[in-house]
Amino acid sequence: MPSYRSLLRTPEFTPLFLGAAAQNAAGTVGGLALGTLVFRATGSPLLSAVSMFGSSLAQMLGATFLLSGADRLPPRTTLTVISLAFAAGTAAQALPGLPVGGVLAVVLALGLVASLGGGVRWGLLNEILAEDAEDAEDAEDAEDAEDAEDAEDAEDAGDAEDAEDAEKAKDAEDAKATKGGYLTGRSLFNMMSGLTQITGYAAGGVLLTALPARTCLLLAAGLYLTAALVLRFGLSTRAPRATGRPSASATWRANAQLWSSRPRRLTFLGLWLPNGMVVGCESLYVSYAPHAAGTLFACGAFGMFAGDVTVGRLLRPAVRRRLATPLLLLLATPYLLFVTHPPLSVAAVCVTLASAGFGASLIQQERLMELTPGELTGQALGLHSSGMLTMQGVSATLAGAVAQLTSPAAAMTVMAAGSACVTLTLATAARRSPGRSSPEPGPEPASPSPSPSAREAAPGRSPS
């Protein structure tokens, strides 16, 4: 598997990475400022929460109507326009006198735009790292050809068969290198996302004590504009991965094709449900420990960071592929202890251990790429990202409702138990899949057909 340092030397990886980092920083600073602005104007915790996280609820609507554009639009132009749209929308939210209804309308519109952005970004990441793996193989082939030329006179008729065997071995190695590259690259993006969220929320909190919320929104708009410039001048022009015009009907057809495969269905459900229900637990940190919620969020980010590093860099492929179900169970089971109302020190340990389980998403995304045709990789990754964010929003709402009727600790226990049950149900369904030998959610078929670009994960919490 490639190292993180080698990824940063890969052409176009760094500008894509830096553009995503600027967007994440803008989202955390802008989201905190917007939530504060709405709460000060209305005094409503519900409207404040919707202003911060309501865009997630628009993700599935975007995945239903817009997602075909993830593979049918030129990536550089699309990512640049999306960043510009967020810059304009965030600046509009800072306008004095804009009613709360107008603010929420902008939030939902940006959620629709974001549903397309995830598919474009992750499809392009897969494409960039696939090309890098192929370039490395070509360099090796050139060196081998030079060595072979020196011994050309000594070769006989058996060379043709040897060449055919070598080509087959090359294709197999190319597939392994590409998939390893995508998983490592996505791991680095997830780590960046977690660290940026910690830094962004901390910086946003400091800025809000010194500056008006509208000024903080304008700073976030400036970060989005910076991301647009980095993407525009750092990425090269690429043709779309699929032909045809993006449309709602094309999105429906492609989604139906993706959903028609039972292994892919289980993979999508494994990416959406266990993860989303645990984020419902996280949404209750503030009500569980009002004066120490920041500590719990920081512990969760650290655990997610450790899980991504372990899965993305330290585990051998043979070991990694067997750990999707154990990691998903790790994601949920520590929260079961919250039924005892543990003190903050114990709660922090539970949160850290549980968040390491978000590393399962990397394994599941790698499997999704194995199961998806090359011309649909962007839409498949966009559907994963949109579905994950939608389920996180739904689960946060459900967890809040349960907590309202019972208590935050009881609601966290209920959501964790639901996540573990869903994981075990998907594992059981995977065992019954033809040709499946490993009981993990989101199985691969007995003989998967890698995509042409992959001969190829909310994070954990975010597209990722």
Side-chain angles (χ1 to χ4, degrees), residues 359-372:
S361 176
L362 294 173
I363 305 172
Q364 294 167 306
Q365 289 174 60
E366 184 181 35
R367 184 178 303 127
L368 180 62
M369 290 297 91
E370 293 176 349
L371 300 172
T372 303

Side-chain angles (χ1 to χ4, degrees), residues 26-72:
T28 53
V29 173
L32 186 58
L34 184 63
T36 302
L37 183 66
V38 171
F39 183 73
R40 289 173 179 172
T42 65
S44 169
L46 175 61
L47 291 177
S48 177
V50 171
S51 69
M52 291 184 67
F53 302 107
S55 62
S56 296
L57 299 177
Q59 290 274 337
M60 190 52 72
L61 185 63
T64 303
F65 293 99
L66 304 177
L67 205 50
S68 62
D71 293 299
R72 295 166 183 251

Side-chain angles (χ1 to χ4, degrees), residues 1 4 183-195 300-315 320 327 355-363 365 457-462 464:
M1 293 179 63
Y4 291 139
L183 184 141
T184 308
R186 190 62 191 266
S187 168
L188 189 57
F189 269 82
N190 286 358
M191 290 160 52
M192 173 272 293
S193 177
L195 293 175
F302 175 77
M304 185 170 63
F305 180 91
D308 284 335
V309 171
T310 301
V311 172
R313 288 297 303 148
L314 302 181
L315 296 179
R320 184 176 66 234
L327 284 172
S355 297
F358 279 114
S361 176
L362 294 173
I363 305 172
Q365 289 174 60
R461 280 176 289 237
S462 64
S464 96

